[in-house]
Amino acid sequence: MSSPSQSLELLFKFLSRSYATVETNFYKLPGSSVVARYVKSSHQNDPGRTLLEVILVIFAIRTLLQSRTRGDQSGKHFIQFDEKEIDDLVDEWSPEPLAQSLSPEEQADLASVPVTVGPTGPKPRLSSGKTVINLASYNFTGLAGNETIKTSAIDTLRKYGLGSCGPPGFYGTQDVHIQLEQDIADFLGTEAAIIYSQAFSTIPSVIPAFCKRGDVIVADRGVNFAMQKGLQISRCTVRWYDHNDMESLERVLESVEKERRKRRGPLTRRFIVTEGIFDHDGQMSDLPKLVELKKKFKYRLILDESVSFGSVGRTGRGLTELYNVPASEVDMLVGSIATGLSSCGGFCAGSDVVVNHQRINGTAFVFSAAMPALMAVAASEGINILRNTPSILNTLHENVRAARAILDRVDCITIPSHPASAVIHLQVRWQTLQLPSSTPASPAKLSNPHSVKSRDEQQFNVELEEKLLQDIVEEALAQGVMITRAKRLRGQELTEVRPSIRLALTAALSKKDCEKAANVIKAAFVKVVGRRR
C-alpha cells in the first residue's frame, strides 16, 4: 500500500511544481495579470462560460492546424476522363453571357441618343452636321467651354500631368485640391469643405460616414437614387415623410420621439435627409422650415444641393443664399462640382469636425483616386467667375422665367418643378394616359413612416408615357432643340417616378433662344399628344 501512496505523492509534487513554474512564467508575460483577472471573474460569475471558451479555444487551434484542403487527396472519388472525353466537354461548353441581351426597347433607346461632334456647349453640332439648341446638358452658368477656364486647365495639365495617381489620403492630394476646398468653404460661408472625385458617390459616402446602425434617419420619399443608396449602406433606422411635405415631416419627427419614449430607448444620433431641388421633379425644399424643425426636435440636417448649387441664389450659392439662411445652419451641405461648376466631382461643406471626420470615414474619399488637378483648377476658376460676375445668374433666372412663361400655358403639359428651378420637368397632362387613380386618403389615414410607399401614390403607365415622351424628344430634335427624357433605373429605385422630359436651362443662351426652344417644345407636345387622342 505504501508504494502506490508514495507514487501518488510524487506525482502530486511534480504537478504542483509544474503548475508553480507555469504560473510564474505566465505572470512574467506582459498583460498576463489582466487575462488572469478576466478568467477568475468569468469563472466565478458563470462557470459554464469558462467551459464554452475552452471548447472554442480548442476548436480554433484545431482549425488552424488542420489541412486547408478538404478534398480527398487519394482521388478515388473523382471521375476520371480520358483526353477525348475532355476535348469533347470543352467543345460542348459555351460560357454564359456577362450580361443579358438588350431588349428591343433598350436597343431603340440607345439608337435614339444623338451624337455630338466636338465640345458640348449651348449650341453643339451633331454628327449629322446639324447645330441644335442644347437643353439636355447641365450647364446652368455656361461655364462649359469658358476660355478662361480652358486656359487655366491647359496650364495645369502641363504642370501637374493628367491624373492624381492615388487616393487623397496617400499621395493623391495636391495643392490645387486644398485650394479648391478652401474656395468652396469661402464661397458658401462654412468652416471647411471636402471634395470627392465623383459626384454620384459623394452623398452615398457622406450619409454612412455619420449614420450607423441604431441611428435614426427621417428622409423624404422623393430623394434621388444616390441618396437611396446612401440610406441603404448606412443600415440606419429610416423613417419616411411625404415628398416635400413639411407637415408630414413634423408628424414623423413627433412619432419617432413618441416611439423612443414608449420603448424607453436611449438617445441616438438623428438626421433629416433631403434635397435642395429634387432631381426627380424639380421641386424645392422649404429650407427655413427644415432648419426650424431640426432645431425643435434636435436633429442634424443633411442637404443635397447637387441641382441647386450653381443655379439658384444671387451668385449661385444655392438655397442658403436664396432663403438667406446661414450655411452653418446646415450640418452637412452636399453639392455637385460637376453640375454646378461644369467640372467633375462633388463636395461636402460644414464644420471642421464634419469635414475631418470624412477624411477618415468617407469611403469614396478614402478609397477613390483624387480628381485630376486640371479639374480642380477648373472648378476654382468657376467659383471665381460666379463670385465676380453675378450677372450670369441673372441671365439664367431670366431664361428660366422666359421658358416657364411659355410652357406653363400649354394645356397638355404639367410642370411639377419650382418656378425658380433651372431644371424643369415636363409631364403629359392627358387623362387618357392615367390609370384609375387610387382612392384619396382620408385626413385620418396618413402615410406609414415605416414604408417608403406613400398613402396616395400616383398611378401611371410607364411604358406608354415614356414612348410618348420619346416621340416628343425626337420631334423637338428634328426642329433643332435637343432635350431628353429623365432617365430612371426602373426596378432598382425604391419608388417609381412618373416619366418626364427634363429641361436644363443655361445662361449661355440668350432669352430669344430660350423662347424659341420653348415654343418648339410646346409645338412638339401639342403635335404628338394630339396624334394620340
Side-chain angles (χ1 to χ4, degrees), residues 125-186:
R125 187 166 62 90
L126 303 182
S127 57
S128 61
K130 186 176 184 179
T131 300
V132 295
I133 296 176
N134 182 8
L135 295 184
S137 303
Y138 282 146
N139 184 25
F140 301 133
T141 51
L143 296 178
N146 182 279
E147 291 300 326
T148 302
I149 295 177
K150 286 168 61 175
T151 302
S152 299
I154 292 172
D155 293 340
T156 306
L157 176 62
R158 289 172 175 159
K159 179 179 179 181
Y160 292 88
L162 181 59
S164 59
C165 301
F170 291 90
Y171 40 82
T173 298
Q174 297 167 306
D175 56 346
V176 292
H177 297 130
I178 298 174
Q179 183 61 49
L180 175 58
E181 292 178 344
Q182 293 175 353
D183 291 340
I184 292 174
D186 293 340

Side-chain angles (χ1 to χ4, degrees), residues 340-399:
L341 299 174
S342 299
S343 180
C344 78
F347 68 86
C348 178
S351 65
D352 289 323
V353 174
V354 165
V355 168
N356 291 333
H357 179 77
Q358 293 177 70
R359 299 194 190 280
I360 301 175
N361 293 276
T363 51
F365 182 85
V366 174
F367 298 110
S368 297
M371 71 168 65
L374 67 96
M375 304 304 290
V377 171
S380 292
E381 288 291 341
I383 290 176
N384 292 333
I385 292 174
L386 294 183
R387 183 184 286 117
N388 299 325
T389 319
S391 60
I392 293 178
L393 273 299
N394 293 334
T395 302
L396 173 63
H397 299 157
E398 288 178 3
N399 289 345

Side-chain angles (χ1 to χ4, degrees), residues 410-447:
V410 183
D411 292 336
C412 57
I413 295 179
T414 297
I415 303 178
S417 307
H418 190 276
S421 172
V423 174
I424 304 174
H425 286 261
L426 309 179
Q427 300 171 350
V428 178
R429 184 190 293 163
W430 183 24
Q431 297 302 322
T432 55
L433 283 178
Q434 288 290 112
L435 296 175
S437 59
S438 57
T439 304
S442 61
K445 186 179 179 183
L446 303 175
S447 298

